[in-house]
Amino acid sequence: MKKNSRLRIKKISGVLFCILVYLFLFLPIVVIIVNSFNATTTKPYLSWKGFSLSWYVKLWKNQSLLQSFANTMLIAAISTVSSTVIGTFAAVGMYRYKFKGKNIIDALLYIPVVIPEIVLGISLLTLFATIRIPRGLITLCLAHITFCIPFVIFNIRARLAGYDISIEEASMDLGANRITTFFRITLPVLAPGIAGGALLAFTLSIDDVIISYFVNGQTKTYPLKVMESIKSGVSPDVNALSALILIGTIAVVVLTQSNLFKHKTSKE
């Protein structure tokens, strides 16, 4: 009896712990979604005044908010593509070739990852000011590419850890040149690592606040726009846009997972 009661207590405590963890993770998201339907029109927009879709209508009239979101998506797309291409070639090159200073370069890759974002933001701001690049879209893209590249390299290097280079040698023995071998052999093998690095870079770019704050100039991103609105109270139209972003993200994840499931089922 004592053993059964102990097992029951452990099971209940485990369930309660999981519930608390999921509440901690998802309750803020639920609050954002619920508040996007709030009919209140007075600051700080925290008191519930009833259900309404008016903020979803007003969202499309808030040009500054929509422009900031467009800037965020544009910067994320540019930085993701650029950092993925650079990171892929860098990871493959550092894996395949040995050269002087390789260990130093390898160690330097960890700097953008481990140092505080505020230090990296100030460093990039100083660099752009020194070489006289006006702050704006260009500096934001360059900054995001800078801190995204190491994450792409790390993902691809993890994929390269189990890579058998003999398949490339077999390809070239059969008459393929290096370029054909790379695009038809190496790239498909590394595709999961490249995709993972690209998704991580895209997420980091969209989510960044601190580094963007130092190099943005007059170009506002969505996180910076939200941060500015905190002083006066985040309006429900911001919550409405956040809810739409969340729905879009869930849709992409569900679509991706369903395609993967169909692909596995067809193979079986």
Side-chain angles (χ1 to χ4, degrees), residues 4 18 23 31 37 48 50 57 111 115 131 133 146 150 191 218 223 233 238 245 249:
N4 291 334
C18 290
L23 281 175
V31 171
F37 298 103
W48 180 259
V57 177
I111 292 179
I115 65 172
I131 60 180
I133 297 180
T146 300
Q218 298 299 319
V238 175
I245 295 171
T249 304

Side-chain angles (χ1 to χ4, degrees), residues 15-77:
V15 171
L16 289 175
F17 178 76
C18 290
I19 291 173
L20 289 174
V21 170
Y22 278 104
L23 281 175
F24 179 78
L25 291 174
F26 293 107
L27 189 58
I29 298 176
V30 173
V31 171
I32 288 175
I33 295 174
V34 170
N35 203 39
S36 67
F37 298 103
N38 194 353
T40 183
T41 57
T42 56
K43 296 181 180 181
Y45 307 109
L46 296 176
S47 57
W48 180 259
K49 298 295 184 181
F51 181 87
S52 175
L53 293 173
S54 61
W55 289 106
Y56 284 88
V57 177
K58 293 178 180 178
L59 167 64
W60 305 109
K61 299 178 182 179
N62 192 338
Q63 294 300 319
S64 61
L65 182 62
L66 294 176
Q67 183 61 49
S68 68
F69 178 69
N71 292 337
T72 297
M73 298 304 294
L74 177 61
I75 294 166

Side-chain angles (χ1 to χ4, degrees), residues 202-234:
F202 188 77
T203 302
L204 290 170
S205 178
I206 290 177
D207 192 50
D208 183 73
V209 176
I210 299 176
I211 297 174
S212 299
Y213 176 79
F214 285 97
V215 300
N216 72 92
Q218 298 299 319
T219 305
K220 297 296 181 184
T221 62
Y222 179 63
L224 291 177
K225 188 70 177 177
V226 174
M227 188 177 68
E228 286 181 354
S229 65
I230 290 176
K231 296 179 181 178
S232 58
V234 178

